[in-house]
Structures are given as C-alpha cells and as structure tokens.
Amino acid sequence: MLRFKTIFLTLIISSCAYLNAVAQRTEILLDEGWKFSKGSFPTAAEPNFNDKAWETVSVPHDWAISGPFDKEIDKQITAITQNGEKVASEKTGRTGALPYIGEGWYRKNLNLPILKPNQKVLLQIDGAMSEPRVYLNGKLVGQWNYGYNYFYIDITNDLKSNGNQLAIHLNNKPKSSRWYPGAGLYRNVHLIIKDEKSVDQWGITVTTPIAKKEFAKVNIKTKITGNNVRLVTQILDQSGKQIAIDTAKSFFGNEADQNIPISNPNLWSPEAPYLYTSVSSVYDGNVLKDVVKTRFGVREISYQANKGFSLNGQVRKFKGVCLHHDLGPLGTAINTAALRRQLTILKEMGCDAIRSSHNMPSPEQLELCDEMGFMFLAESFDEWAKAKVENGYHLYFDTDAEKDIVNLVKATKNHPCIVMWSSGNEVPDQFGAEGVKRAKWLQEIFHREDPTRPVTVGMDQVKATMQSGFGALLDVPGLNYRVHLYNDAYTAFPQGFILGSETASTVSSRGIYKFPVVKGFDKQYEDFQSSSYDMEYCSWSNLPDDDFVMQDDKPWVIGEFVWTGFDYLGEPTPYDTSWPSRSSYFGISDLAGLPKDRYYLYKSRWNKTEATLHILPHWNWEGREGQTTPVFVYTSYDSAELFLNGKSLGIRKKDKSSPQNRYRLMWMDVKYEPGTLKVVALDSNGKPVKEAQVKTAGKPAKIILTADRNEITADGKDLSYVTVSVVDKNGNICPTATDQLNFEVTGAGKFKAVCNGDATSLESFEMPTMKLFSGKLVVTIISDKKGGKIQLNVKGKSLTSGLIEIVSTK
Ligand code: GAL
C-alpha cells in the first residue's frame, strides 16, 4: 500500500488571503508492497511480466543480510596494498561473506492519485546498491551507478493515467568493495507530486552568513520553475511559532534571494542542537502552488591557521567516530530507530562528530545528527581514478564523480550538522601529478556547489602528499593514522592545522582478554579474537592513547575521527585470511552495539558531564589462580586504589611516563584469585569519591533482559533492542557464558534480528536462536501497526527463562 504524506500546512500568518491554503505538494513513501527477486530476468522491466511468485518485501530492504554466510562469497586473492601487503593471500569475509553479489529486481505497481494536467511527478531514490536502472512501463527512465548516492528522475511524461508499473534493476559486481556494501533498495524511495510552478527539487539553499548571539542573517536562495510567481518565506522557531516572514523581492533568473534577520537566535551546536524551519510558499497570483519546509540551524564554522576549528566562535576539537553504513544484524537497510540507538550510545560516550566513511550518508542519519547534535563530515568516495578493488568506483570516476558530488551537496547542504566535506579516503591517486589535479578538481566542485564548507581528504600517504602539493592544496589536511608524521605535516602544509581524519584502528573483541598483556600489532590467536586490554592495533595504526597525546599536546590538531564507532560487516583485520572471521574488530562498540572496554576509555575523556569509572578484565579466570592478570581502570579521575578481596593492591595515578600511563590506571602485576575486585577513585585530595567492582560469578542460572526502550511506536518500523545476559544464583553477571538461547516474540510485534557481537559467528541474524558471546547478546524486536503489548521470552537449557514486555503505541 502506498503511504500518503500530504503536507497540509496550517499557515500561521496574518493575511487572510493565506488562510485555509492547502499546499499542492504530496510526498509518497514507496515503502510497502514491492515484489523482489534475485536473478537476471531479461523481461522483468515489461509491465506484464509475471512476478506473482516473487517475494513481497518492504523497502528499505537488504537482500543479502539473511545470509547464509559463505566463505566462498567474494573470496579475494589479493595483496591489500594500502595495508602495506606485498604478497597476495586469500581474503575471506572481506565483504562480510554474505550473498550481495549478482542481479536483483524490484517491481511495484504505482497506484497514483489522479493527476492534474499541471502536475509533475518525481521519483527520488536515496541510494540503491547498486547501478540502479529504473524502468517505468517497460521504458528505461533513469539510471545511476554509485550505490550510495541520492538521485531523482522526472517521470511525468512517462506516466500513464493508471496502471503504472515501476521496475528497478540492480547489479552488484564481485570485488567491488572493501567492506559489506549491502544489496538492494536499502534506502527510501519517494514519489513527489507537485505543481509545475513550484520549488525545484533540492532548490532551496539556506545559509547563515552572520550567526552571532545578538542576531543572525539567514540567506535563503530558492530556485523556482514558473513565471510570475511570488515567494513568501516564513521562519518558524523550534516550537513552530513564526518569528519572521518575508516576500521575495530579488529574483536572479529563476532564483529568489532573501536575507532574513533573526534577533537573539538560538545557535546550533552539539550541546544545544536548536533547529529553525523555513516554510517556502509559492503563489501564482493568490493561488498557493507549493509549500516546502526546510529545517536549518543558525551556526558559524571557521577553520583558521594556528587557531583551528571553531563553532560559533568557540575553538573546539572533533571528538568523532567514523561509521560504515551497515546497522549490524539489520544489514544496510535504513531504519531510523536503529540509527537513533547508535547515536544515543555515541552521545553517552561524549562523541560529538561523525564521519560517513567512505560515502554519502543517509538522509535519516543527517536528520538525526541535526536533532541530536552531532557535527558531520560527509564523505563521497573511497576510490578516484586508481583502483583499490577490481570493480570499485574507479570504473565510474571519470564520468560520474562530478555529478555524484553535485547530488551529495544539493541533497544535503541545508543540514547544520555538516561542517566539512571529504572528497576521498586514502585514494591511491595520492601518488602522482594526476592525483594532485584530481584533488583540486573535486575540491573546486564542492566549492562551486557550496562555498560555505571546507573540503578534506583522508590521507595515508603523508610523505607523498607533502612532496607533491596534494596535501597543501586541501582546505583541511586530514591524516589517517601516522601520528609520527603529524609534526612534519603541520610544518610542511600551509593550512596551520591538521585533522585526525581517521585514528586508532585498535582491535578488540568484547569481553575477551589475552595474556600476557603486551602492546603489539597484527596479533592473532587461535580463537580469532583480539584482546580487550586495548593494546593491539595494526601495522599502519596505533592505540587510542597515542592519538590523545596529539589531541592534548598540539593546539593545531583539530580533532579526531576514531576508526570506528561500531564494528561493521566485513574487513575482519587482523583475521582477514582466517575463516570464519567476517566482521570487523575495530569498533568501540561491537556489532550488536554493546560497548567494549574501549568505550569507557573514550568516555573518560570525552564525556564531561558524567564521571567514568570502569574496571577490566572480568574476574572469572578459573585455572589462572596465582597467575599475573593485569587490571586496567578507565576513568575520568586522576587516581584510584585497587582492592582484591579487601586487600589493597596500591594506588595508581595518571602520569606522563607513557601514553598508557597518562590515560589509563594500570596494575600490571595482579595475581588472580577469585572473589571481588574493587576500585576506589580518589579526588585530588586523595579522598574516595566513587567505587566500581567486578566479582567472580558462579554457574549461569538465570536469564536477564533489559530493553533500550520499553515503549515504542506502532508503525511497523520502530525497534526495541533487548540486551540479554545471564547471572548466577546470586545475581552476578556471568561474563564468559556461551549458552545457546531461543527467542519467542508474541503480541504486537515481531522478532527482527539477533546479534552477539562475535566476529566469527556464522549463526544467522534472522533465526530466533543464538549463542551468548562473552555472556551477552542483543535481540531486536520490531513493532506491528496495530499496537499493544509485545512479549519477548528467552529460554536456555538449565536456565530460568527471561521475559520482558514492551508497549507499542500509535
Ligand atoms: C584505513 C581505511 C579504512 C579501514 C581502516 C582499517 O586505512 O581508510 O577504510 O580500512 O584503514 O584500519
């Protein structure tokens, strides 16, 4: 069924000519009732093609996430040169080992309302993986190559009066990605019906050339199709109250240019993400033809030599993370509740910025960042003309790069969260004169489309870019890792600041600890896990503390984007040749969204509103009695005392003797004995201020459930994430439990997915059974449209079951 979202605006303006006005624009989300099949089907574009046997799906949809995982999928025998590899080896799981490769078709009958002769119809696709070819009634009406970009097609002239058949063909080549790209119509598809006299698609540009505490100048440029039209623009505050209204006086060709003052504006920032809305109404005489609402923020950004980055006049450093686009067990299919949960977890950590590595972000993610307060680095490409993977973006670079950037900027430019663009990540074009020209060409396209934001490139070939001029020409020189070259780059480059566009790439598995605890890179173990003592990294990367030193000691470093906020599907370094590893170990939180220990290390410095006191490892080491079992504490306090079974193991205080000693409290020589390990944080006078402890648990006895949200919306899309853990008979968390659990959801919702964060697990995300990993997993429940109570029942052998009730309301 089509969902109609007609915009009936009650205009809060004084002139009675506008009262009772009904806007002419209708947006229809094409989310339900699609027919889908994998395969080539040469005649599937034809209107009378029989798709009855095809699966009925709703969009956003990722056809590959159901699996099964298979080692042979996209097996790549290659040397990953950007990782410094010289010899080719067999890489399994590089793209997640899920069946994304091949062709797929989506078909849908468009039941349009009866159109008036003066109406236009646009079809907008927010991203389709990949190479979408769009057919209407058998005719190819539009196409795009890059799976991550937004594009729209004017289908007005190809529509019949009824019975319109839409068919979309997608094709994913093998060896086309370095991570799990997903497959299908994984973002939203919209139909926009509007008067021919109306605002052009993406035709409004709102900027705030002056954004001071006392007043702001809001500049609104509006491209309108149609002669002799009148444009009235209102500004509404966050409560919906009109604070300004202006009728456009200056038109330049088809573009109206308005400057509207706001006195004492609420400035947008991550801490106070205040949003205004502009309402653009287009009139032909007194007839209202179109209304478009645009949310914007009043904020000022600046990047200055030896001062760095400032927001609203205040210098600050990005406390950012890089994110790939998948949502763990949901795959790449966009879901607002899943995105909001990710951002909520990051916000609690104190994170204030996101980099959409290495492609265009979803519109939903940007909307949430505007609302929740995250600055955004919106990236475009992982490849330019030179290849990283055989069938990567280099195939399209020459023909498509410009139009891809144009659409990125046009579709997203009004989001206050975006504070920087990136034209590329570690592109092999960093070498050679052609690459320098490409960097300049791309940056100029961004400047032409948006003169208000700077452009960066994430550079890993820092020495080459220092010599060639590549780094010098960028607005913002971004360094990926290479902390040892920050000083040289700062000296060589003219900008007067450096961004840590990608940092850390420390690897760890939630709840897994390896002994002895020594710093090292590319470490591998028999179980294909990495240690959560956070001392392991890659040959090209480093530990979080090494970045902290740069951030704290160099005023010209403008912040960092940690690789990555969450584990993602694919790229299982350091186990990319070790099946069954199929997802990353880089995340600060795991694939299920559960925080690893590292989460608290970042929180201890980033979250300034809540004290952090976190102790690791867990204290269930049967068999290690008497053996050295170091204890780390990640804390916002400077010092703390550790006690094992009541006996003091001494006070540690942060000092500058090493990066680790500066940011962690470490007791390296603790001898394991079961019992209670307690840490007491001390204030600057040595007085105890906060405690945390871990206890040795007995056998798992009982299942415990906690939901991130106990009330959700009955819209068939909203999600509740239930964390499942087990406790012993005394209620102590069992940190090593691996019990196989079964899930049953009844009532007004359905079981959607499950994930335990184990990068080596081949259990399906979509079957209602899974093993605990390090004592935990997360079940995702989705609401239906009826509403009511939803029960999740979790059972396991010899365990007391867990039951939780979620309320879903309209
Ligand atoms: C970077 C790259 C990322 C990811 C990361 C892993 O070099 O930009 O996409 O591969 O390494 O450490």
Side-chain angles (χ1 to χ4, degrees), residues 26-86:
T26 304
E27 189 186 315
I28 302 169
L29 197 60
L30 299 182
D31 54 354
E32 290 182 2
W34 289 84
K35 291 301 238 177
F36 163 74
S37 181
K38 265 191 94 169
S40 72
F41 305 104
T43 58
E46 298 302 326
N48 54 5
F49 177 84
N50 185 350
D51 59 17
K52 286 223 163 60
W54 286 11
E55 197 184 339
T56 301
V57 299
S58 57
V59 165
H61 177 243
D62 178 348
W63 84 55
I65 192 64
S66 314
F69 293 105
D70 183 343
K71 178 181 184 199
E72 296 306 313
I73 297 174
D74 212 16
K75 193 163 78 182
Q76 304 183 12
I77 298 170
T78 184
I80 304 178
T81 47
Q82 67 267 22
N83 291 1
E85 292 180 6
K86 302 235 158 35

Side-chain angles (χ1 to χ4, degrees), residues 563-578:
W563 191 264
T564 44
F566 294 86
D567 278 336
Y568 51 93
L569 292 160
E571 205 176 28
T573 311
Y575 296 108
D576 40 19
T577 58
S578 313

Side-chain angles (χ1 to χ4, degrees), residues 82-83 178-179 324 355 358 382 388 425-426 460 480-481 502 505 538 540-541 563 568 571 573 586:
Q82 67 267 22
N83 291 1
R178 298 193 298 115
W179 55 87
H324 266 313
R355 170 185 182 223
H358 303 295
D382 191 48
K388 283 185 187 171
N425 172 62
E426 299 187 355
D460 62 331
N480 285 8
Y481 315 101
E502 203 171 301
S505 266
C538 311
W540 59 89
S541 68
W563 191 264
Y568 51 93
E571 205 176 28
T573 311
F586 294 117

Side-chain angles (χ1 to χ4, degrees), residues 111-217:
N111 291 314
L112 290 179
I114 296 167
L115 296 174
K116 299 191 192 110
N118 58 341
Q119 283 186 313
K120 277 167 97 68
V121 182
L122 308 180
L123 177 76
Q124 181 177 308
I125 298 182
D126 292 342
M129 196 59 72
S130 64
E131 299 179 3
R133 300 291 179 264
V134 182
Y135 297 86
L136 186 64
N137 303 322
K139 181 181 162 197
L140 181 68
V141 291
Q143 62 185 72
W144 206 265
N145 291 317
Y146 199 27
Y148 294 101
N149 215 346
Y150 340 91
F151 66 101
Y152 67 89
I153 310 161
D154 185 339
I155 57 171
T156 316
N157 297 333
D158 297 298
L159 282 170
K160 299 190 296 183
S161 53
N162 58 44
N164 287 288
Q165 182 67 45
L166 181 65
I168 302 176
H169 177 252
L170 300 167
N171 184 25
N172 291 319
K173 297 190 179 90
K175 304 184 178 61
S176 56
S177 186
R178 298 193 298 115
W179 55 87
Y180 176 64
L185 294 178
Y186 72 106
R187 287 186 185 164
N188 279 310
V189 181
H190 314 258
L191 267 189
I192 297 142
I193 304 174
K194 57 177 193 155
D195 198 279
E196 61 193 2
K197 285 199 174 184
S198 57
V199 174
D200 292 357
Q201 188 64 358
W202 303 336
I204 296 178
T205 307
V206 185
T207 56
T208 51
I210 304 176
K212 303 279 173 223
K213 252 170 71 193
E214 301 72 31
F215 74 98
K217 169 178 164 182

Side-chain angles (χ1 to χ4, degrees), residues 124 131 140 242 284 299 415 430 472 601 708 726 781:
Q124 181 177 308
E131 299 179 3
L140 181 68
Q242 179 183 305
D284 186 2
R299 54 120 182 91
H415 289 282
Q430 287 165 100
L601 184 57
D708 71 330
V726 283
I781 293 169

Side-chain angles (χ1 to χ4, degrees), residues 535-591:
M535 296 290 256
E536 297 175 4
Y537 52 103
C538 311
S539 58
W540 59 89
S541 68
N542 52 266
L543 297 179
D545 326 65
D546 303 324
D547 298 313
F548 299 163
V549 171
M550 286 295 144
Q551 300 296 323
D552 287 350
D553 293 356
K554 311 287 177 194
W556 39 266
V557 177
I558 65 171
E560 65 167 318
F561 288 86
V562 180
W563 191 264
T564 44
F566 294 86
D567 278 336
Y568 51 93
L569 292 160
E571 205 176 28
T573 311
Y575 296 108
D576 40 19
T577 58
S578 313
W579 185 253
S581 292
R582 47 68 173 158
S583 55
S584 85
Y585 299 78
F586 294 117
I588 292 175
S589 292
D590 72 13
L591 197 71

